[in-house]
């Protein structure tokens, strides 16, 4: 027997390998450009990541799916910005 029926299903992320791969690509390029984990030390992070998220949403609507600098989908960039905001909010809430 294994009593894991009430545990979170992290395996469900495996149902979207293309999206995860694209988000990982954005994170990898960001780590190479700025430094791993640098996103967590940005001043005024909530405002700046919200603005960046909105810029990528607008760029998607106006210029097509891919970011000129990275070649990654604008939605992957937006998701990273939103993940940064969520992680920082949860960290603050758990202090």
């Amino acid at each position: 027997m294994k009593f894991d029926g009430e545990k979170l299903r992290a395996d469900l992320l495996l149902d979207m390998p293309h999206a995860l791969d694209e988000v990982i690509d954005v994170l990898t390029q960001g780590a190479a450009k700025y430094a791993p984990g640098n996103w967590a030390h940005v001043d005024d992070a909530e405002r700046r990541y919200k603005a960046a998220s909105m810029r990528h949403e607008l760029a998607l609507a106006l210029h097509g799916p891919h970011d000129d600098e990275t070649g990654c989908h604008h939605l992957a960039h937006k998701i990273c910005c939103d993940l940064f905001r969520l992680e920082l909010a949860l960290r603050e809430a758990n202090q």
Side-chain angles (χ1 to χ4, degrees), residues 1-62:
M1 286 186 128
K2 182 156 174 49
F3 296 105
D4 60 1
E6 299 295 319
K7 294 185 179 177
L8 296 177
R9 297 280 314 274
D11 63 297
L12 295 174
L13 285 171
L14 298 175
D15 290 342
M16 52 189 92
H18 302 288
L20 289 173
D21 189 57
E22 195 77 354
V23 168
I24 290 167
D25 193 357
V26 170
L27 292 170
T28 300
Q29 290 189 52
K33 182 176 180 179
Y34 299 107
N38 184 70
W39 63 268
H41 306 290
V42 170
D43 290 332
D44 197 14
E46 168 63 22
R47 182 187 62 78
R48 292 173 72 187
Y49 287 126
K50 186 184 291 186
S53 178
M54 293 171 68
R55 283 193 302 273
H56 282 289
E57 191 70 53
L58 185 59
L60 174 63
L62 295 175

Side-chain angles (χ1 to χ4, degrees), residues 55-73:
R55 283 193 302 273
H56 282 289
E57 191 70 53
L58 185 59
L60 174 63
L62 295 175
H63 306 294
H66 296 101
D67 181 77
D68 288 339
E69 182 180 348
T70 65
C72 294
H73 202 290

